């Protein structure tokens, strides 16, 4: 007795130490089965130790583990783990033990064993489970119904069917659940007629509706290709639940017969039902539905028309294109817009061809619509036709066509666009050509290569055309482009010189800084001086500039500032300069109510950049900033900078 006790203690110690591994990743050695059996039989082992032993036996147990595990089935605390270990054992003795337990156990242990019988699909237990369907304990009856459903043979289905007429309420739902399981098993095993019989019985119940809806689905699918007839039947159902169940099931069934069932039942349905059928047709993606959808889109309730239009691009077949094109002219704006959206989405060359036909028509409205569709469909092959439209007589179409050339074109379109720009006189045409030229230039790997071709046109261009060319040059940038703009600023034509100066003031790189500084200092025109100063201040932000150069420009700019707006702009540029001197310059404006917030922001931004290099200056500055500003964001950042500098 003592030796046995010591042996058990040793096994428990091995379990606790990990010598016997019971994790899901490690299978215990087969030789450990006896040790694990000893643990579950021991009166000294803890609950956790027995649970772990059962978990291990679930992986390696053989017939010799059956009796010790069966002994635990009546144990409220260990019954679950014992069944967990018993269920995988491939030995008929387990089924015999479970059937024996069905006649002896009560309460939750009984419910658990019923579940295990279902897991093992023990056909010999059907009669016992059938009797338990009438058990006064609802939990036991429910478990029996589920177990019979899991067994799923003809006898189980018959037992459940016999009980169906006597059941009500929740119990009826449980019996139905069991029958659903039987039907699913029958289909999986090729016994479709048996499944159909079960589903037909369930779909003809008076209630509950969720059972009938599920049974409609099962009855249709179990019939295979013949299920289309049942879809037709339920499309005429007065019950929306049954109707929608049929539509939903149609999504799971391929084939033209199902499409025919849906389309043939479309007429005569209420609007809401029509919309669901149309939605189903769209999701199924069968091109055979297009004629019915086209008809639905042209007549009847507006919501149905729009639903039909929206379904067509989901199918994506060219047969939908003519109907959609016809609807573009619909008197109802919403329907016309839906058709336009659908045509934009439908794939294929046929849709492209229809849109190109619209572009080549003689009417402005369809041509403008075609241009919109060309852009939405990214029809790059249409660019030659777009250029042709841009040469045409229609003053409304020309700029719209040019815009699409800019969107869809490549640098290959530079020459024809430049030729068009030099031909145009109207402002809207010039603006559109300018934008298109700028767009194709920036798509080039070397935009500066176009500079000479642009500048060579300046001498023969009108003032308005020169302005457009100068703005394109500003997009390209570079030394030669700047040189041309610089020369144009001296043009005797005021329109040209004003444009050139505006272009200079918006230049993106610091090579224009000397020109802007000279203008800001010497121009007799105050508006030019202001614009030049602002342009000069903005150039301080150029990341390619050294800190020293930025500081020098800040000093030059500040000497010219007169208004608070300019000082605020200057402080914004100053915030990009990572230098203690810049921080000192910002702090001088902290006491000015007009620029206090901008100065605080600049000081914090500079402090973030130099806190590691100039901690003493930053600490002093941040302490003053935190006292001066109430801006939450600036205060939060200022505290972070202060802490960083103190460290």
């Amino acid at each position: 007795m003592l030796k046995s006790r010591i042996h058990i203690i040793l096994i428990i110690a091995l379990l606790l130490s990990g010598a016997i591994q019971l994790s899901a990743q490690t299978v215990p050695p087969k030789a450990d089965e006896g040790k694990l059996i000893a643990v579950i039989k021991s009166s000294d082992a803890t609950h956790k130790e027995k649970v772990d032993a059962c978990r291990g036996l679930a992986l390696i147990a053989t017939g010799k583990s059956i009796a010790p595990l069966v002994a635990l089935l009546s144990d409220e605390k260990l019954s679950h783990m014992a069944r967990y270990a018993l269920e995988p054992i491939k030995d008929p003795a387990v089924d015999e033990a479970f059937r024996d337990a069905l006649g002896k156990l009560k309460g939750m242990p009984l419910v658990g064993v019923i579940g295990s019988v279902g897991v093992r699909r023990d056909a010999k237990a059907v009669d016992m489970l059938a009797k338990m369907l009438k058990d006064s304990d609802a939990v036991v009856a429910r478990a029996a119904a589920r177990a019979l459903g899991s067994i799923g043979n003809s006898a189980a289905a018959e037992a459940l069917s016999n009980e169906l007429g006597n059941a009500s309420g929740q119990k009826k739902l449980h019996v139905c659940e069991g029958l659903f399981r039987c039907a699913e098993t029958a289909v999986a095993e090729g016994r479709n007629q048996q499944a159909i019989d079960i589903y037909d019985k369930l779909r003809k119940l008076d209630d509950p509706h969720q059972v009938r809806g599920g049974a409609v689905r099962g009855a249709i699918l179990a019939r295979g290709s013949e299920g289309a007839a049942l879809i037709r039947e339920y499309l005429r159902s007065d019950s929306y639940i049954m109707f929608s169940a049929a539509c939903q099931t149609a999504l799971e069934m391929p084939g033209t017969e199902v499409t025919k069932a849906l389309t043939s039942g479309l007429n005569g349905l209420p609007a809401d039902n029509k919309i669901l059928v149309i939605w189903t047709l769209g999701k199924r993606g069968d091109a055979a539905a297009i004629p019915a959808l086209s008809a639905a889109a042209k007549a009847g309730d507006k919501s149905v028309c729009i639903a039909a239009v929206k379904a067509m691009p989901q199918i994506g077949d060219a047969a939908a294109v003519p109907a959609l094109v016809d609807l573009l002219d619909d008197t109802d704006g919403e329907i016309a817009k839906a058709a336009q959206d659908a045509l934009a989405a439908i794939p294929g060359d046929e849709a492209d061809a229809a849109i190109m036909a619209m572009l080549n028509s003689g009417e402005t409205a369809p041509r403008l619509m075609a241009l919109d569709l060309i852009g939405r469909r990214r029809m790059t092959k249409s660019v030659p036709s777009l250029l042709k439209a841009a040469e045409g007589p229609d003053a409304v179409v020309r700029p719209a066509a040019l815009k699409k050339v800019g969107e869809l074109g490549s640098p290959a379109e530079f020459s024809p666009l430049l030729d068009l720009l030099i031909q145009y006189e109207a402002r809207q045409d010039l603006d559109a050509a300018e934008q298109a030229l700028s767009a194709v230039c920036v798509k080039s790997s070397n935009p500066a290569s176009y500079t000479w071709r642009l500048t060579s046109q300046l001498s023969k261009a009108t003032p308005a055309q020169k302005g457009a060319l100068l703005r394109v040059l500003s997009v390209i940038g570079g030394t030669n482009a700047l040189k041309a703009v610089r020369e144009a600023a001296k043009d005797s034509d005021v329109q040209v010189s004003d444009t050139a100066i505006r272009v200079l003031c918006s230049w993106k790189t610091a090579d224009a800084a000397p020109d802007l500084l000279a203008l800001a200092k010497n121009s007799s025109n105050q508006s030019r001086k202001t614009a030049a100063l602002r342009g000069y201040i903005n150039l301080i932000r150029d990341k390619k500039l050294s800190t020293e150069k930025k500081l020098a420009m800040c000093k030059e700019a500040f000497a010219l500032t007169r208004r608070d707006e300019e000082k605020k702009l200057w402080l914004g540029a100053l915030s990009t300069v990572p230098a203690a001197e810049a921080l000192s310059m910002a702090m001088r404006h902290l006491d000015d109510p007009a620029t206090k917030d901008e100065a605080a922001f600049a000081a914090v931004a500079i402090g973030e950049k130099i806190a590691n290099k100039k901690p003493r200056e930053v600490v002093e500055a941040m302490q003053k900033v935190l006292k001066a500003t109430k801006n939450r964001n600036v205060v939060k950042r200022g505290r972070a900078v202060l802490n960083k500098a103190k460290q």
Side-chain angles (χ1 to χ4, degrees):
M1 181 70 178
L2 181 60
K3 284 178 68 178
S4 175
R5 192 175 183 83
I6 292 172
H7 182 62
I8 296 300
I9 293 171
L10 177 60
I11 294 170
I12 293 170
L14 287 170
L15 280 167
L16 293 174
S17 67
I20 301 177
Q21 296 293 328
L22 298 180
S23 69
Q25 290 75 29
T26 306
V27 179
K30 290 283 187 182
D32 284 349
E33 183 178 12
K35 299 174 184 178
L36 296 173
I37 291 172
V39 172
I40 65 172
K41 292 172 70 175
S42 169
S43 58
D44 295 323
T46 66
H47 176 264
K48 182 181 183 305
E49 290 160 358
K50 291 188 177 186
V51 166
D52 290 342
C54 288
R55 190 174 286 115
L57 288 172
L59 300 172
I60 64 170
T62 64
K64 62 182 180 181
S65 294
I66 296 175
L69 288 168
V70 168
L72 298 178
L73 290 179
S74 60
D75 189 316
E76 290 273 357
K77 295 182 179 179
L78 291 170
S79 178
H80 173 72
M81 290 307 300
R83 291 186 293 100
Y84 175 75
L86 283 166
E87 285 174 7
I89 300 174
K90 297 179 180 179
D91 189 322
V94 175
D95 297 313
E96 292 176 12
F98 280 148
R99 288 198 298 272
D100 182 62
L102 288 178
K104 297 177 180 178
L105 298 178
K106 300 291 183 184
M108 293 313 295
L110 172 59
V111 171
V113 169
I114 293 172
S116 293
V117 169
V119 169
R120 290 178 64 89
R121 299 189 65 191
D122 180 10
K124 293 181 180 180
V126 169
D127 289 342
M128 297 182 73
L129 293 173
K131 294 176 182 178
M132 291 180 176
L133 289 174
K134 302 180 182 297
D135 198 286
S136 58
D137 187 332
V139 178
V140 171
R142 178 182 182 182
R146 287 184 169 182
L148 285 167
S150 297
I151 294 170
N153 61 12
S154 299
E158 184 179 356
L160 288 164
S161 296
N162 291 337
E163 186 62 25
L164 184 61
N166 303 320
S168 61
Q170 285 297 312
K171 185 176 181 180
K172 188 172 186 178
L173 282 175
H174 302 154
V175 173
C176 290
E177 180 184 347
L179 283 168
F180 272 118
R181 294 187 180 196
C182 287
E184 289 165 6
T185 300
V187 170
E189 295 178 353
R191 295 180 281 114
N192 283 48
Q193 187 54 54
Q194 185 178 353
I196 290 170
D197 291 342
I198 294 172
Y199 286 131
D200 285 351
K201 178 176 288 189
L202 293 175
R203 69 186 174 91
K204 293 174 182 176
L205 293 175
D206 293 333
D207 59 1
H209 63 78
Q210 63 267 40
V211 170
R212 292 164 58 220
V216 166
R217 173 186 176 274
I220 293 171
L221 294 177
R223 282 172 166 81
S225 60
E226 296 178 3
L230 208 53
I231 291 176
R232 280 193 180 90
E233 176 185 331
Y234 278 101
L235 287 183
R236 298 189 296 272
S237 174
D238 293 333
S239 168
Y240 190 80
I241 292 172
M242 301 300 103
F243 165 82
S244 60
C247 289
Q248 191 68 31
T249 307
L251 293 175
E252 303 179 58
M253 299 178 67
T256 303
E257 283 303 313
V258 176
T259 302
K260 289 180 179 178
L262 291 167
T263 55
S264 64
L266 196 57
N267 292 330
L269 291 177
D272 287 346
N273 292 33
K274 276 188 179 181
I275 289 171
L276 182 55
V277 173
I278 288 168
W279 180 88
T280 303
L281 289 166
K283 291 295 181 182
R284 293 185 77 253
D286 186 352
I290 293 295
L293 291 175
S294 299
K298 293 178 180 178
D301 187 274
K302 176 178 174 178
S303 61
V304 174
C305 294
I306 291 175
V309 169
K310 289 182 176 180
M312 291 188 202
Q314 295 185 65
I315 296 173
D317 190 84
V321 173
L324 293 174
V325 171
D326 289 344
L327 289 168
L328 293 175
D329 295 326
D330 197 277
T331 54
D332 189 298
E334 287 186 57
I335 294 175
K337 178 64 168 57
Q340 187 175 346
D341 291 342
L343 194 57
I346 200 165
D349 293 339
E350 293 83 356
D352 287 348
I355 292 167
M356 293 308 298
M358 293 166 59
L359 179 64
N360 295 328
S361 70
E363 299 179 27
T364 299
R367 297 185 78 194
L368 291 175
M369 188 180 295
L371 290 170
D372 176 70
L373 290 168
I374 285 170
R376 292 168 70 177
R377 292 173 65 82
R378 310 304 297 170
M379 292 169 56
T380 55
K381 292 181 180 179
S382 69
V383 170
S385 297
L386 294 174
L387 287 168
K388 185 177 179 181
E391 295 176 3
D394 194 322
V396 178
V397 170
R398 282 198 305 269
L402 285 166
K403 181 181 178 181
K404 297 307 170 187
V405 175
E407 290 177 9
L408 303 176
S410 69
E413 277 65 62
F414 176 85
S415 293
L417 283 171
L418 181 57
D419 291 342
L420 285 171
L421 187 148
I422 296 302
Q423 295 173 22
Y424 289 143
E425 295 180 1
R427 182 56 184 263
Q428 61 180 4
D429 292 335
L430 283 171
D431 287 346
E434 172 197 325
Q435 292 168 16
L437 261 179
S438 299
V440 299
C441 283
V442 298
K443 294 177 185 178
S444 170
S445 59
N446 183 20
S449 64
Y450 299 106
T451 302
W452 180 83
R453 296 176 66 184
L454 290 166
T455 56
S456 65
Q457 297 292 332
L458 287 171
S459 61
K460 50 189 172 183
T462 66
Q465 292 168 348
K466 284 182 179 180
L469 292 169
L470 290 170
R471 285 187 289 271
V472 176
L473 286 168
S474 74
V475 172
I476 293 175
T479 302
N480 292 329
L482 179 59
K483 181 180 178 181
V485 174
R486 193 180 283 141
E487 289 298 318
K490 304 172 186 176
D491 198 292
S492 58
D493 188 292
V494 176
Q495 181 182 349
V496 175
S497 61
D498 277 349
T499 300
I501 289 171
R502 283 195 295 272
V503 168
L504 267 179
C505 293
S506 61
W507 207 259
K508 299 296 188 294
T509 52
D511 48 353
D515 302 276
L516 293 174
L517 183 60
L519 279 169
K521 285 182 176 180
N522 305 320
S523 178
S524 58
N525 185 309
Q526 186 58 47
S527 62
R528 287 186 177 183
K529 288 183 73 169
T530 301
L533 177 59
R534 292 186 175 188
Y536 184 78
I537 291 172
N538 283 329
L539 289 179
I540 296 170
R541 297 176 179 273
D542 191 335
K543 294 180 180 180
K544 295 180 180 178
L545 292 174
S546 67
T547 299
E548 292 72 20
K549 181 63 176 175
K550 282 175 172 277
L551 276 172
M553 289 178 68
C554 284
K555 292 175 183 177
E556 290 276 13
F558 184 70
L560 299 172
T561 57
R562 297 291 180 268
R563 298 186 299 175
D564 290 337
E565 290 78 6
E566 293 160 3
K567 290 178 182 178
K568 292 176 181 179
L569 185 66
W570 175 81
L571 284 165
L574 184 67
S575 69
T576 68
V577 185
E581 188 175 355
L583 178 60
S584 177
M585 293 167 71
M587 294 302 292
R588 293 172 199 160
H589 299 272
L590 198 61
D591 295 330
D592 186 343
T595 58
K596 179 176 64 177
D597 288 341
E598 288 76 14
F601 173 84
V604 169
I606 297 167
E608 288 172 336
K609 299 176 181 67
I610 66 171
N612 291 331
K613 296 180 180 179
K614 299 289 182 179
R616 184 168 58 82
E617 291 89 338
V618 171
V619 167
E620 182 180 347
M622 292 305 104
Q623 289 173 340
K624 292 180 180 179
V625 166
L626 292 174
K627 292 179 181 178
T629 185
K630 294 181 180 179
N631 184 290
R632 291 183 180 180
N633 183 47
V634 174
V635 168
K636 181 179 179 180
R637 289 174 61 185
R639 286 174 179 163
V641 174
L642 179 61
N643 293 334
K644 181 179 179 181
K646 284 182 177 180
Q647 291 173 5

